[in-house]
Amino acid sequence: MVTKFESMAEIGGWSGGAVLFLESLCPHVNLLSLYKDPHHKFSLFKVIKLTLTDSAGGLGGYEILKLHDADPLLGVELKFVELEACRRFLQSYVSGTLRQALAQHAGRLLAAAPEVKVETQLKAGTHTLDLCLDSLEDCLEHIHLSQSARLCDDEIEDLEQRLQEQALGGAAPEPPPAPQPPQRDCFLFQTETFEDRILTAADVHSFSNGVGRQWKHVGRALARGCRALKGPAIDNLAYEYEREGLYEQAYQMLSRFTQAEGSAAKLGRLVGALEDCRLTGLAESLLGSQ
């Protein structure tokens, strides 16, 4: 049976748009920060391009229109011009092979951990496609109805050109290599290696005493890898300990993190969250004793 989308594709009338949102669950790999860093933007774009090429079955049938700052997520705006490329992309997304390819390419090109765990979300217009992935035809319809008239962003054109020059053996220079991943039980902070360890009561006290109103932002950064802080947990803590003040709110948040994560509640995870929230001064203070 020929679907209405296949009939449209036969006469060259099918196209569609979607936005793929990405977020790394690795404390030391922040995709949005890499996108904003001129030294790493090209490598990140190459990771995304290779991942989409794998999932769509080739270079044709789609194009990247723009990369979006959707803090804490990185949005990749896509335009599909071939039905089959879009269908293969969706099948790859549903099966998890897209996330697997993204993790492999990121581990190879971003000098990150051997495998970077990535959380994804796919939207077409106002529709979150993750809620209807059991029906690819419904997803295809939402994507088709969300086709955009936007042209490719100038920045994306420059990155595409650089990628082509590199593929042809041109002189486009590679960005400076990222610091090598630290050895086991260590972590990197501003190019220096520190020994990782379980958070202590002194760490919790120092954090609570210095973080101020930013404790919520740090809590949400930690929540990416801690189920106990997800959902309304942060706001509930703020309400429950409002009368006790900011110190107690921050103390209870980090205490909940250490209790839930146990031996995985490491200093490196807290420092990574502080970096994500641009609280490097507080991170330096916590690391001062080391």
Side-chain angles (χ1 to χ4, degrees), residues 19-24 28-49 64-77 102 106 109-110 150 152-160 162 175 178 276 278:
V19 180
L20 175 65
F21 292 97
L22 307 172
E23 181 180 14
S24 168
H28 309 300
V29 180
N30 186 304
L31 299 180
L32 186 58
S33 296
L34 290 173
Y35 160 63
K36 294 178 179 180
D37 187 337
H39 296 302
H40 297 102
K41 179 175 293 189
F42 175 70
S43 294
L44 176 62
F45 178 77
K46 189 174 181 179
V47 168
I48 294 171
K49 185 73 175 183
I64 301 173
L65 296 181
K66 186 175 177 63
L67 296 182
H68 291 278
D69 177 353
D71 191 15
L73 308 177
L74 175 65
V76 183
E77 185 174 349
L102 183 64
L109 295 174
L110 301 179
R150 179 199 293 272
C152 182
D153 190 73
D154 290 342
E155 178 184 68
I156 300 299
E157 288 186 349
D158 292 341
L159 291 169
E160 291 276 12
R162 183 174 173 182
D276 291 347
R278 299 183 178 88

Side-chain angles (χ1 to χ4, degrees), residues 175-196:
Q180 290 299 311
Q183 298 176 351
R184 190 176 181 181
D185 296 328
C186 295
F187 65 92
L188 284 176
F189 174 70
Q190 295 185 345
T191 73
E192 292 189 46
T193 302
F194 293 88
E195 181 182 356
D196 208 358

Side-chain angles (χ1 to χ4, degrees), residues 1-10 14-16 18 52 54-57 60-62 79-95 97-98 122 129 133-141 143-144:
M1 179 179 176
V2 178
T3 68
K4 62 178 180 179
F5 300 119
E6 291 169 330
S7 300
M8 294 173 66
E10 289 177 0
W14 196 92
S15 63
L52 293 173
D54 290 346
S55 62
Y62 79 93
K79 178 180 180 180
F80 294 96
V81 293
E82 290 182 9
L83 174 62
E84 283 309 309
C86 186
R87 193 187 299 275
R88 285 192 294 268
F89 167 82
L90 285 171
Q91 291 169 341
S92 176
Y93 185 84
V94 172
S95 67
T97 55
L98 183 147
L122 188 61
L129 300 185
L133 291 176
D134 55 336
S135 174
L136 289 187
E137 295 304 311
D138 287 347
C139 291
L140 286 169
E141 183 170 5
I143 291 174
H144 173 62

